Amino acid sequence: MSAPVLEDHAAAGVVGTRMLRREDAALLSGEARFVHDVVVPGALHMAVVRSPYAHARIRSVDVSAALGMPGVVAAMTGADLAAEWASPMPCAWPVTADMQSPPHLPVALDEACYVGDAVAVVLAGSQAEAQDAAAAVVVDYEELPAAVDLEDAARDGVLAHLGAPSNRAYTWELAPDPEAVRRAFDDAAVTVKERYRQQRLIPAAMEPRGVCVVPQPFGGEYVVYSSTQIPHILRTMLGLTAGVPEERIRVIAPSVGGGFGSKLDVYAEELLCLALARRLRRPVRWSEERSEAAQATIHGRGQVQEIELAADADGRVQAVRVHLLADMGAYLQLVTPGVPILGAFLYHGTYDVPAYSFTCTGVFTNKTPTDAYRGAGRPEATYAIERAMDALARKLGMDPAELRRRNYIGADKFPYSSVAGLVFDSGEYEAALDEALGLVGYEALRQEQARRRSDGATKLLGVGLSSYVEMCGLAPSRVLASLHYVAGGWETATVRMLPTGKVQVVTGATPHGQGHVTSWSMIVADKLGVPPDDVEVLHSDTGVSPLGLDTYGSRSLSVGGTAIALAADRLVDKARLLAAYRLEAAPEDLELSDGQFAVRGSPSTSIGIGALAFEAFTAHDLPEGMEPNLEASATYDPTNFTFPFGTHIAVVEVDTETGRVDLVRYVGVDDCGNQINPLIVDGQVHGGIAQGVAQALYEEASYDERGNLLTTTFADYLVPAASELPSFTLGRTVTPSPSNPLGVKGVGEAGTIASTPAVVNAVVDALSHLGVEDLEMPVTPERVWRSVGAAAPVPGGAR
Amino acid sequence: MRVTVTVNGTTETHDVETRMLLVHYLREIRGLTGTNIGCDTTSCGACTVLLDGESVKSCTLLAAQADGEEITTIEGMAAPDGTLHPIQEAFHRHHGLQCGFCTPGMVMAVASLLKEHPDPTEVEVREGLEGNLCRCTGYHNIVQAVLAAAHSGELVP
């Protein structure tokens, strides 16, 4: 489970060790403050009146009864608030020039477009009073036909927005050589054509969202507390949308209770609290309830995928062709249209495929908007190719591990120019496969599987593989420009030493559970030769960290961590000049070790970096032209994405009599390049696996035919508990990324990307001899049981 | 109505609304915001506290029902000098928390679980914690932490 390679690496310092987290004490003792815990005297509580219809014309909204309720200070409609907005709510990723984006206001004016769309707000002295009064707001709706099913919506039978030309948001294509794809399919010895449904998921961070906006005493300035992953992006977007000068907004993300992409957004409630605080000159806060979160916080996934593989007789894949429909929901949120595009480059997976084409059509429906959810496009891509590879293996009668091995991009081909136009940085895919096969005991499992089948057992064994590569470390700004994303992908850092030799690190990355404080202090501790506990990390507050691009897309270490390392290097460069001056030596003759600059070959002639920090602070005797203090900043714009990879293997027992699936063993071998802290890497992988397993087996945001969301509570939406999951066996290979000086790749999403197809492949594998070839997610006992009943056994019991 | 509740060893009397939930009483009246609210259907367990030593979900009890009772919240687990309780320490050592939002409730549920099952198996730990959801850890390290805490020899039965 540990990472043997890294223990050597650790000899030089703390980087590479399983250092315990510095964040834990405050979280374990209850001292940590989440937004809901921030006490603001005199704050008004906001409640949002939401549409109970998926699609309705709003004939009138009457707030008069609500205004008469106890404690109520204000109640407002969309029309009352319309003048507050300088522009509609932002979408930062217009993926095509002709993309349609219906105007999205924080409170709807005359048309509600999903269950949960805001139609009025109430402000009162307490949350209970605000909620009571919200129930007294009378809205006259004319229910309209709703576009609910994704494929129906794509046919424009019902329009999700009145007056829209169609439900199509955009069609995006990646087809470098369509003729080559056609030829490959014409010439193929074997083809498979699969169709998969990516159900909608509710991110369900354990902390629901919360916002509190506090006007500052001197007028015109606002502190915005929000449970957000993106305080920096949020500040800019709040400024643009609410018409508040950006420099007068300070966004603070205090302790944030998980995000998984769902807090990578600019939400109506954030805009509303800001606008209402401005209007009423009082603090305004809002706390999301769980049932509200199910409707008003973005959903993930929501695709129908069609994938075709063309292979030669030996199983070598010659072409991959993909058509997607992607459910945008009712509106385009911050990066909604870009999510499928993040997967578009990866549908050939880890395989050396010469011909490729991809198209995606984004479609509006009358449902909660979708947006980035852990993995964002890459889990969908990995699911499609890994399920399709198993289908191909069955068709060829080949072991799925062998088929993968035969198709991998060879270790000698890196850096690898992919058919989709990326340059994969480094990889050794077969090593990860071998490690995973060994850890799971693959051959023995296959024997046990065969034994159970021949014994006619009702508890069948299934083994499912998933090899993945993902692109993360978002992102080179020029590449983002080519994809029409409106911002860059750099990250900033400042490292400064204080007079007493302590260190402050300022970062634009924004943790919400990832342990950044621990990891960043480890990087800086090794660079400067100080104890990690002497390194304070300042983050998540635009007042102390004015520039940054925040945390998502497994970018924080490879981009933000690199910026920190570069800033620390610059600080050391300056300290070296000062040390040389003090020691009367040439800078290049100095070695920095354990925080001491010493003259090479004369270790007794030395000075500590802490002493240098004090001298730089007093500035009594600095070299000519040197500015006081030891402080340095860096902004790092990556030159490439990073490409973590690995192989995961799920082992399931499937009860053919009840349809029950038990995940009995799970092996994940990941390669995220060098690791700063393998303890934290393990934790990221564990959580990622659990979320991917949840998609495979348990979770779905279900709608009825009228567009009512049926899964608004944890009683209906099955976030797995400890009892639904096994312990995980982890392995690791280490192939450093050549793209950044730390050699790191990122691991926040890997587990989620890998695990979903591994689990579904395992269930199908258990039942394949019965003729079962596919199961829709989530793979519930009912679906399994029905598939067993409907299946026609495969002659000879082939896999 | 008037309620007198001992929380983490301190007894106070307050007037509260009849409909006030225990979790709101703890957070708003007693100022103990370590106990979190993660759902509205008693499903997630983030608000778990001990009532006379047994875990309860404080969103499911009225403050009035705690009248005359003893409540322990996460703030009452560490020693007065800040030394973490062995369960808290085990969560730290085994990386049993990430964002930390479920953690206070999880720790309280574990305290109750280990009182009932001082030497639990992995299955007993997993089943014993099924009322507490965590979205970050996949439970792997939470289970490791609980088993380690049980075997640390530092828990007072």
Side-chain angles (χ1 to χ4, degrees), chain A residues 756-779:
Chain A
T756 310
V759 172
V760 179
N761 277 344
V763 181
V764 173
D765 180 68
L767 304 172
S768 60
H769 64 300
L770 302 175
V772 174
E773 297 189 328
D774 186 26
L775 285 157
E776 193 168 293
M777 294 189 290
V779 180

PDB file of all heavy atoms in Angstrom, chain A residues 756-779:
ATOM      1  N   THR A 756     -15.307   3.265 -12.009  1.00  0.00           N
ATOM      2  CA  THR A 756     -16.660   2.959 -12.489  1.00  0.00           C
ATOM      3  C   THR A 756     -16.656   1.842 -13.539  1.00  0.00           C
ATOM      4  O   THR A 756     -17.396   0.857 -13.393  1.00  0.00           O
ATOM      5  CB  THR A 756     -17.333   4.244 -13.019  1.00  0.00           C
ATOM      6  OG1 THR A 756     -17.203   5.264 -12.026  1.00  0.00           O
ATOM      7  CG2 THR A 756     -18.787   4.018 -13.328  1.00  0.00           C
ATOM      8  N   PRO A 757     -15.835   1.946 -14.583  1.00  0.00           N
ATOM      9  CA  PRO A 757     -15.846   0.838 -15.556  1.00  0.00           C
ATOM     10  C   PRO A 757     -15.301  -0.464 -14.976  1.00  0.00           C
ATOM     11  O   PRO A 757     -15.749  -1.551 -15.387  1.00  0.00           O
ATOM     12  CB  PRO A 757     -14.954   1.345 -16.695  1.00  0.00           C
ATOM     13  CG  PRO A 757     -14.147   2.460 -16.121  1.00  0.00           C
ATOM     14  CD  PRO A 757     -14.978   3.063 -15.027  1.00  0.00           C
ATOM     15  N   ALA A 758     -14.362  -0.383 -14.021  1.00  0.00           N
ATOM     16  CA  ALA A 758     -13.851  -1.633 -13.439  1.00  0.00           C
ATOM     17  C   ALA A 758     -14.990  -2.415 -12.795  1.00  0.00           C
ATOM     18  O   ALA A 758     -15.108  -3.636 -12.963  1.00  0.00           O
ATOM     19  CB  ALA A 758     -12.745  -1.327 -12.416  1.00  0.00           C
ATOM     20  N   VAL A 759     -15.839  -1.697 -12.067  1.00  0.00           N
ATOM     21  CA  VAL A 759     -16.916  -2.379 -11.344  1.00  0.00           C
ATOM     22  C   VAL A 759     -17.963  -2.923 -12.314  1.00  0.00           C
ATOM     23  O   VAL A 759     -18.399  -4.082 -12.204  1.00  0.00           O
ATOM     24  CB  VAL A 759     -17.555  -1.427 -10.307  1.00  0.00           C
ATOM     25  CG1 VAL A 759     -18.792  -2.060  -9.694  1.00  0.00           C
ATOM     26  CG2 VAL A 759     -16.535  -1.069  -9.230  1.00  0.00           C
ATOM     27  N   VAL A 760     -18.376  -2.109 -13.294  1.00  0.00           N
ATOM     28  CA  VAL A 760     -19.412  -2.596 -14.215  1.00  0.00           C
ATOM     29  C   VAL A 760     -18.848  -3.733 -15.075  1.00  0.00           C
ATOM     30  O   VAL A 760     -19.533  -4.736 -15.320  1.00  0.00           O
ATOM     31  CB  VAL A 760     -19.978  -1.445 -15.071  1.00  0.00           C
ATOM     32  CG1 VAL A 760     -21.039  -1.981 -16.034  1.00  0.00           C
ATOM     33  CG2 VAL A 760     -20.584  -0.365 -14.173  1.00  0.00           C
ATOM     34  N   ASN A 761     -17.595  -3.588 -15.498  1.00  0.00           N
ATOM     35  CA  ASN A 761     -16.980  -4.704 -16.237  1.00  0.00           C
ATOM     36  C   ASN A 761     -16.979  -5.986 -15.406  1.00  0.00           C
ATOM     37  O   ASN A 761     -17.168  -7.081 -15.944  1.00  0.00           O
ATOM     38  CB  ASN A 761     -15.538  -4.351 -16.636  1.00  0.00           C
ATOM     39  CG  ASN A 761     -15.475  -3.528 -17.924  1.00  0.00           C
ATOM     40  OD1 ASN A 761     -16.436  -3.460 -18.680  1.00  0.00           O
ATOM     41  ND2 ASN A 761     -14.332  -2.891 -18.151  1.00  0.00           N
ATOM     42  N   ALA A 762     -16.774  -5.832 -14.111  1.00  0.00           N
ATOM     43  CA  ALA A 762     -16.745  -7.022 -13.247  1.00  0.00           C
ATOM     44  C   ALA A 762     -18.115  -7.693 -13.187  1.00  0.00           C
ATOM     45  O   ALA A 762     -18.224  -8.924 -13.249  1.00  0.00           O
ATOM     46  CB  ALA A 762     -16.264  -6.637 -11.846  1.00  0.00           C
ATOM     47  N   VAL A 763     -19.155  -6.888 -13.073  1.00  0.00           N
ATOM     48  CA  VAL A 763     -20.494  -7.486 -12.982  1.00  0.00           C
ATOM     49  C   VAL A 763     -20.841  -8.171 -14.310  1.00  0.00           C
ATOM     50  O   VAL A 763     -21.343  -9.303 -14.338  1.00  0.00           O
ATOM     51  CB  VAL A 763     -21.557  -6.425 -12.621  1.00  0.00           C
ATOM     52  CG1 VAL A 763     -22.935  -7.095 -12.509  1.00  0.00           C
ATOM     53  CG2 VAL A 763     -21.205  -5.720 -11.315  1.00  0.00           C
ATOM     54  N   VAL A 764     -20.560  -7.497 -15.423  1.00  0.00           N
ATOM     55  CA  VAL A 764     -20.832  -8.108 -16.728  1.00  0.00           C
ATOM     56  C   VAL A 764     -19.986  -9.368 -16.893  1.00  0.00           C
ATOM     57  O   VAL A 764     -20.470 -10.397 -17.400  1.00  0.00           O
ATOM     58  CB  VAL A 764     -20.561  -7.095 -17.870  1.00  0.00           C
ATOM     59  CG1 VAL A 764     -20.677  -7.778 -19.232  1.00  0.00           C
ATOM     60  CG2 VAL A 764     -21.531  -5.918 -17.779  1.00  0.00           C
ATOM     61  N   ASP A 765     -18.749  -9.305 -16.426  1.00  0.00           N
ATOM     62  CA  ASP A 765     -17.859 -10.470 -16.521  1.00  0.00           C
ATOM     63  C   ASP A 765     -18.426 -11.665 -15.754  1.00  0.00           C
ATOM     64  O   ASP A 765     -18.351 -12.807 -16.216  1.00  0.00           O
ATOM     65  CB  ASP A 765     -16.481 -10.094 -15.970  1.00  0.00           C
ATOM     66  CG  ASP A 765     -15.502 -11.254 -16.023  1.00  0.00           C
ATOM     67  OD1 ASP A 765     -15.126 -11.650 -17.136  1.00  0.00           O
ATOM     68  OD2 ASP A 765     -15.126 -11.772 -14.941  1.00  0.00           O
ATOM     69  N   ALA A 766     -19.026 -11.376 -14.608  1.00  0.00           N
ATOM     70  CA  ALA A 766     -19.589 -12.473 -13.814  1.00  0.00           C
ATOM     71  C   ALA A 766     -20.715 -13.171 -14.564  1.00  0.00           C
ATOM     72  O   ALA A 766     -20.926 -14.376 -14.400  1.00  0.00           O
ATOM     73  CB  ALA A 766     -20.106 -11.920 -12.476  1.00  0.00           C
ATOM     74  N   LEU A 767     -21.432 -12.406 -15.384  1.00  0.00           N
ATOM     75  CA  LEU A 767     -22.643 -12.932 -16.018  1.00  0.00           C
ATOM     76  C   LEU A 767     -22.480 -13.202 -17.516  1.00  0.00           C
ATOM     77  O   LEU A 767     -23.428 -13.600 -18.177  1.00  0.00           O
ATOM     78  CB  LEU A 767     -23.799 -11.932 -15.812  1.00  0.00           C
ATOM     79  CG  LEU A 767     -24.106 -11.575 -14.358  1.00  0.00           C
ATOM     80  CD1 LEU A 767     -25.118 -10.434 -14.297  1.00  0.00           C
ATOM     81  CD2 LEU A 767     -24.636 -12.797 -13.598  1.00  0.00           C
ATOM     82  N   SER A 768     -21.266 -12.969 -18.046  1.00  0.00           N
ATOM     83  CA  SER A 768     -21.106 -12.993 -19.506  1.00  0.00           C
ATOM     84  C   SER A 768     -21.401 -14.368 -20.091  1.00  0.00           C
ATOM     85  O   SER A 768     -21.941 -14.475 -21.191  1.00  0.00           O
ATOM     86  CB  SER A 768     -19.697 -12.545 -19.882  1.00  0.00           C
ATOM     87  OG  SER A 768     -18.749 -13.414 -19.305  1.00  0.00           O
ATOM     88  N   HIS A 769     -21.085 -15.426 -19.349  1.00  0.00           N
ATOM     89  CA  HIS A 769     -21.342 -16.771 -19.884  1.00  0.00           C
ATOM     90  C   HIS A 769     -22.839 -17.050 -19.988  1.00  0.00           C
ATOM     91  O   HIS A 769     -23.256 -17.982 -20.669  1.00  0.00           O
ATOM     92  CB  HIS A 769     -20.675 -17.829 -19.002  1.00  0.00           C
ATOM     93  CG  HIS A 769     -21.233 -17.882 -17.615  1.00  0.00           C
ATOM     94  ND1 HIS A 769     -21.209 -16.806 -16.769  1.00  0.00           N
ATOM     95  CD2 HIS A 769     -21.851 -18.883 -16.931  1.00  0.00           C
ATOM     96  CE1 HIS A 769     -21.776 -17.136 -15.623  1.00  0.00           C
ATOM     97  NE2 HIS A 769     -22.173 -18.379 -15.694  1.00  0.00           N
ATOM     98  N   LEU A 770     -23.635 -16.212 -19.301  1.00  0.00           N
ATOM     99  CA  LEU A 770     -25.088 -16.347 -19.413  1.00  0.00           C
ATOM    100  C   LEU A 770     -25.629 -15.524 -20.575  1.00  0.00           C
ATOM    101  O   LEU A 770     -26.827 -15.500 -20.820  1.00  0.00           O
ATOM    102  CB  LEU A 770     -25.758 -15.904 -18.109  1.00  0.00           C
ATOM    103  CG  LEU A 770     -25.318 -16.665 -16.853  1.00  0.00           C
ATOM    104  CD1 LEU A 770     -25.953 -16.056 -15.607  1.00  0.00           C
ATOM    105  CD2 LEU A 770     -25.689 -18.140 -16.977  1.00  0.00           C
ATOM    106  N   GLY A 771     -24.732 -14.776 -21.229  1.00  0.00           N
ATOM    107  CA  GLY A 771     -25.160 -13.961 -22.366  1.00  0.00           C
ATOM    108  C   GLY A 771     -25.365 -12.495 -22.026  1.00  0.00           C
ATOM    109  O   GLY A 771     -25.788 -11.719 -22.874  1.00  0.00           O
ATOM    110  N   VAL A 772     -25.079 -12.111 -20.801  1.00  0.00           N
ATOM    111  CA  VAL A 772     -25.226 -10.699 -20.429  1.00  0.00           C
ATOM    112  C   VAL A 772     -24.036  -9.915 -20.986  1.00  0.00           C
ATOM    113  O   VAL A 772     -22.881 -10.287 -20.767  1.00  0.00           O
ATOM    114  CB  VAL A 772     -25.291 -10.533 -18.894  1.00  0.00           C
ATOM    115  CG1 VAL A 772     -25.301  -9.057 -18.500  1.00  0.00           C
ATOM    116  CG2 VAL A 772     -26.509 -11.256 -18.339  1.00  0.00           C
ATOM    117  N   GLU A 773     -24.353  -8.851 -21.732  1.00  0.00           N
ATOM    118  CA  GLU A 773     -23.284  -8.058 -22.349  1.00  0.00           C
ATOM    119  C   GLU A 773     -23.215  -6.640 -21.832  1.00  0.00           C
ATOM    120  O   GLU A 773     -22.204  -5.957 -22.006  1.00  0.00           O
ATOM    121  CB  GLU A 773     -23.479  -8.042 -23.869  1.00  0.00           C
ATOM    122  CG  GLU A 773     -23.359  -9.438 -24.471  1.00  0.00           C
ATOM    123  CD  GLU A 773     -23.341  -9.412 -25.977  1.00  0.00           C
ATOM    124  OE1 GLU A 773     -23.981  -8.521 -26.558  1.00  0.00           O
ATOM    125  OE2 GLU A 773     -22.683 -10.291 -26.557  1.00  0.00           O
ATOM    126  N   ASP A 774     -24.287  -6.194 -21.254  1.00  0.00           N
ATOM    127  CA  ASP A 774     -24.287  -4.819 -20.765  1.00  0.00           C
ATOM    128  C   ASP A 774     -25.285  -4.705 -19.626  1.00  0.00           C
ATOM    129  O   ASP A 774     -26.269  -5.438 -19.563  1.00  0.00           O
ATOM    130  CB  ASP A 774     -24.674  -3.845 -21.902  1.00  0.00           C
ATOM    131  CG  ASP A 774     -24.553  -2.383 -21.482  1.00  0.00           C
ATOM    132  OD1 ASP A 774     -23.742  -2.094 -20.575  1.00  0.00           O
ATOM    133  OD2 ASP A 774     -25.262  -1.540 -22.052  1.00  0.00           O
ATOM    134  N   LEU A 775     -24.997  -3.759 -18.722  1.00  0.00           N
ATOM    135  CA  LEU A 775     -25.930  -3.432 -17.649  1.00  0.00           C
ATOM    136  C   LEU A 775     -25.896  -1.928 -17.483  1.00  0.00           C
ATOM    137  O   LEU A 775     -24.831  -1.323 -17.463  1.00  0.00           O
ATOM    138  CB  LEU A 775     -25.511  -4.108 -16.335  1.00  0.00           C
ATOM    139  CG  LEU A 775     -25.782  -5.596 -16.264  1.00  0.00           C
ATOM    140  CD1 LEU A 775     -24.878  -6.269 -15.247  1.00  0.00           C
ATOM    141  CD2 LEU A 775     -27.251  -5.842 -15.908  1.00  0.00           C
ATOM    142  N   GLU A 776     -27.076  -1.343 -17.379  1.00  0.00           N
ATOM    143  CA  GLU A 776     -27.133   0.104 -17.236  1.00  0.00           C
ATOM    144  C   GLU A 776     -26.805   0.499 -15.798  1.00  0.00           C
ATOM    145  O   GLU A 776     -27.166  -0.200 -14.848  1.00  0.00           O
ATOM    146  CB  GLU A 776     -28.549   0.582 -17.603  1.00  0.00           C
ATOM    147  CG  GLU A 776     -28.669   2.059 -17.795  1.00  0.00           C
ATOM    148  CD  GLU A 776     -30.015   2.420 -18.434  1.00  0.00           C
ATOM    149  OE1 GLU A 776     -30.243   2.075 -19.612  1.00  0.00           O
ATOM    150  OE2 GLU A 776     -30.814   3.049 -17.729  1.00  0.00           O
ATOM    151  N   MET A 777     -26.126   1.623 -15.681  1.00  0.00           N
ATOM    152  CA  MET A 777     -25.803   2.122 -14.334  1.00  0.00           C
ATOM    153  C   MET A 777     -26.970   2.924 -13.763  1.00  0.00           C
ATOM    154  O   MET A 777     -27.672   3.585 -14.525  1.00  0.00           O
ATOM    155  CB  MET A 777     -24.561   3.022 -14.392  1.00  0.00           C
ATOM    156  CG  MET A 777     -23.300   2.291 -14.778  1.00  0.00           C
ATOM    157  SD  MET A 777     -21.845   3.352 -14.565  1.00  0.00           S
ATOM    158  CE  MET A 777     -22.060   4.567 -15.870  1.00  0.00           C
ATOM    159  N   PRO A 778     -27.131   2.960 -12.452  1.00  0.00           N
ATOM    160  CA  PRO A 778     -26.426   2.119 -11.498  1.00  0.00           C
ATOM    161  C   PRO A 778     -26.879   0.668 -11.609  1.00  0.00           C
ATOM    162  O   PRO A 778     -28.051   0.396 -11.864  1.00  0.00           O
ATOM    163  CB  PRO A 778     -26.846   2.721 -10.143  1.00  0.00           C
ATOM    164  CG  PRO A 778     -28.170   3.353 -10.385  1.00  0.00           C
ATOM    165  CD  PRO A 778     -28.126   3.834 -11.808  1.00  0.00           C
ATOM    166  N   VAL A 779     -25.928  -0.234 -11.445  1.00  0.00           N
ATOM    167  CA  VAL A 779     -26.208  -1.658 -11.578  1.00  0.00           C
ATOM    168  C   VAL A 779     -26.895  -2.131 -10.294  1.00  0.00           C
ATOM    169  O   VAL A 779     -26.263  -2.592  -9.356  1.00  0.00           O
ATOM    170  CB  VAL A 779     -24.909  -2.435 -11.842  1.00  0.00           C
ATOM    171  CG1 VAL A 779     -25.207  -3.922 -11.982  1.00  0.00           C
ATOM    172  CG2 VAL A 779     -24.234  -1.927 -13.111  1.00  0.00           C
TER     173      VAL A 779
END
